[in-house]
Amino acid sequence: MNVIADSAKESTGQLIPARRQRIQQSRAMIRWWLYMVCALILAMVVVGGATRLTESGLSITEWKPIHGVIPPLSEAEWEEELEKYRQIPEYQLINKGMSLEEFKFIFWWEWGHRLLGRFIGVAFFVPMVAFWAAGRIEPWLKPRLLLGLALGGLQGFVGWWMVASGLVERVDVSQYRLAVHLTLALIIFAYLFRIARRLTPLSEPTETETARLSGLSKLVFAFVFLQIFLGGLVAGLNAGLTFNTWPLMDGQVIPKGLFIMDPIWLNFFENVMTVQFQHRITAYILVFIGLALTVATFRVSSRPALRRAGAHVGGFILLQAIFGILTLMWHVPLSIALVHQGFAVIVLAAAVDHLALLKGPYPLQNKA
């Protein structure tokens, strides 16, 4: 009789208790694995920021995805790496005469950055294969995880594409490619974090919450990504090292010289003043709509989890703006600059969390 009853439940789309429990257990394991990968991506963003701020990103002039895991092990190998570095414009125009010990300092930053990237790939791929082989991944989730793996591979290519831009005619990497590299890292983070949050047994949103909060929540999410991209341009142009006053910029609310380049659109990507100014203005807009989302969430919803997410969005965005101001006014010291870059990931996580709570958990399905 129990077998007949279980079959009847499955035929009507209901999950038998044992299968429901297994799916929930599997989801718990997978989401904590994805949280771990997201934490590694956060660390990668911070290490990448340190690599940039210490001017270390061009110290390794070749892309060796496998062999590059092994650093120089002898004095001769170190000299060989330094000789390769001597061939690029950064050494010839900026670091000419650099000693081997000075070279080792920038080399280890870049090597560590690349090694962490490889480790993230392994930390994603190996557990995915294990969960897949154990039958722990639901069919609808498999293509989503494969897409995450593909995005990780693409990020490795984009990283080299960025480095390659600084090896021939420039003394640094292209700000365009740096912004793309940073933004793609955060796209991967947001994608995996959203999956992890929706694998959590969340409460279902109400129609009122969805109708009144989804639009503003999506707007905040979009502006967070826009600001991350603009921050990449600021970093690529070292724009944070100029106009180090706040709230005025060059002694004015709206500084002169924003559109001195021709064609005019070039100013938004290559004029140091304009790039910093648009990053400031976008920050002000983001603070306003972030706090608006916090207020709206408390007015519309009584759910503790959603209220907490709303408070995180507004509070974290405001705190990030303060970190940005301090980074600027203190002339980009390494410590506060890394806090500012790393905390951008936390702001993004808060925005993703708010959207996930408005969407609810992934529905349980019959197919295992």
Side-chain angles (χ1 to χ4, degrees):
M1 292 295 293
N2 288 337
V3 174
I4 295 174
D6 288 344
S7 298
K9 286 182 179 180
E10 290 194 50
S11 66
T12 58
Q14 297 178 3
L15 285 169
I16 60 176
R19 179 168 292 176
R20 177 184 292 272
Q21 183 179 16
R22 177 175 172 80
I23 291 175
Q24 294 287 24
Q25 289 174 344
S26 297
R27 288 188 174 191
M29 290 188 289
I30 290 170
R31 74 170 178 266
W32 283 109
W33 159 55
L34 292 179
Y35 284 147
M36 180 269 292
V37 174
C38 287
L40 289 173
I41 294 173
L42 168 59
M44 186 70 166
V45 170
V46 174
V47 173
T51 302
R52 174 181 56 82
L53 289 167
T54 56
E55 304 290 344
S56 304
L58 299 177
S59 58
I60 302 177
T61 60
E62 297 176 321
W63 190 34
K64 299 178 180 178
I66 306 300
H67 180 66
V69 174
I70 304 174
L73 299 177
S74 67
E75 199 71 12
E77 290 179 348
W78 276 112
E79 288 291 348
E80 182 182 350
E81 288 294 331
L82 177 55
E83 184 56 34
K84 293 174 184 176
Y85 180 64
R86 289 185 179 125
Q87 306 308 311
I88 69 172
E90 183 181 73
Y91 174 85
Q92 296 166 4
L93 299 176
I94 296 178
N95 290 329
K96 196 171 185 65
M98 171 180 275
S99 69
L100 182 59
E101 288 305 311
E102 291 171 329
F103 172 72
K104 287 180 179 180
F105 174 80
I106 62 173
F107 179 94
W108 282 123
W109 271 115
E110 176 63 7
W111 182 83
H113 183 54
R114 296 191 188 191
L115 182 66
L116 182 55
R118 294 181 176 97
F119 180 74
I120 292 173
V122 173
F124 186 89
F125 179 74
V126 173
M128 184 186 74
V129 171
F131 286 133
W132 199 308
R136 291 285 185 176
I137 304 177
E138 297 163 71
W140 60 267
L141 182 56
K142 290 176 180 178
R144 288 171 168 83
L145 294 180
L146 288 175
L147 177 58
L149 182 65
L151 288 172
L154 177 62
Q155 176 70 337
F157 171 78
V158 169
W160 173 248
W161 176 64
M162 176 190 69
V163 170
S165 68
L167 297 179
V168 182
E169 297 178 351
R170 301 172 57 105
V171 296
D172 53 10
V173 300
S174 162
Q175 74 272 22
Y176 298 102
R177 299 188 187 189
L178 188 150
V180 170
H181 186 51
L182 175 62
T183 304
L184 181 56
L186 274 296
I187 287 173
I188 297 170
F189 176 92
Y191 178 73
L192 298 180
F193 190 72
R194 183 179 185 275
I195 292 175
R197 291 301 295 138
R198 294 197 63 203
L199 288 173
T200 306
L202 307 170
S203 58
E204 294 288 346
T206 66
E207 291 184 5
T208 302
E209 289 172 346
T210 301
R212 296 180 60 181
L213 296 175
S214 288
L216 185 55
S217 186
K218 290 175 182 177
L219 182 65
V220 169
F221 176 77
F223 264 86
V224 169
F225 260 111
L226 174 61
Q227 185 69 332
I228 287 168
F229 179 81
L230 296 178
L233 294 178
V234 170
L237 290 172
N238 291 317
L241 296 173
T242 60
F243 309 107
N244 299 101
T245 58
W246 186 86
L248 299 180
M249 183 175 176
D250 200 28
Q252 303 164 82
V253 175
I254 302 178
K256 297 177 181 178
L258 291 175
F259 304 109
I260 60 175
M261 289 185 174
D262 188 42
I264 194 169
W265 62 265
L266 205 60
N267 291 279
F268 297 101
F269 302 98
E270 298 189 11
N271 183 337
V272 171
M273 174 183 281
T274 310
V275 166
Q276 190 194 119
F277 182 74
Q278 67 192 7
H279 193 52
R280 291 188 183 207
I281 295 301
T282 305
Y284 300 149
I285 296 172
L286 194 49
V287 168
F288 177 78
I289 61 176
L291 292 176
L293 180 59
T294 300
V295 173
T297 301
F298 273 78
R299 286 180 175 174
V300 169
S301 178
S302 59
R303 275 199 294 162
L306 187 57
R307 285 183 156 218
R308 182 167 56 251
H312 286 164
V313 170
F316 289 171
I317 289 174
L318 184 60
L319 187 56
Q320 175 69 342
I322 294 172
F323 289 148
I325 293 167
L326 294 178
T327 301
L328 179 72
M329 296 183 69
W330 293 350
H331 295 257
V332 197
L334 182 63
S335 56
I336 190 65
L338 292 183
V339 169
H340 183 52
Q341 181 155 324
F343 203 74
V345 185
I346 306 300
V347 172
L348 177 60
V352 172
D353 186 37
H354 195 276
L355 281 172
L357 286 164
L358 289 175
K359 192 71 175 177
Y362 290 116
L364 295 174
Q365 301 179 8
N366 249 330
K367 295 181 180 180

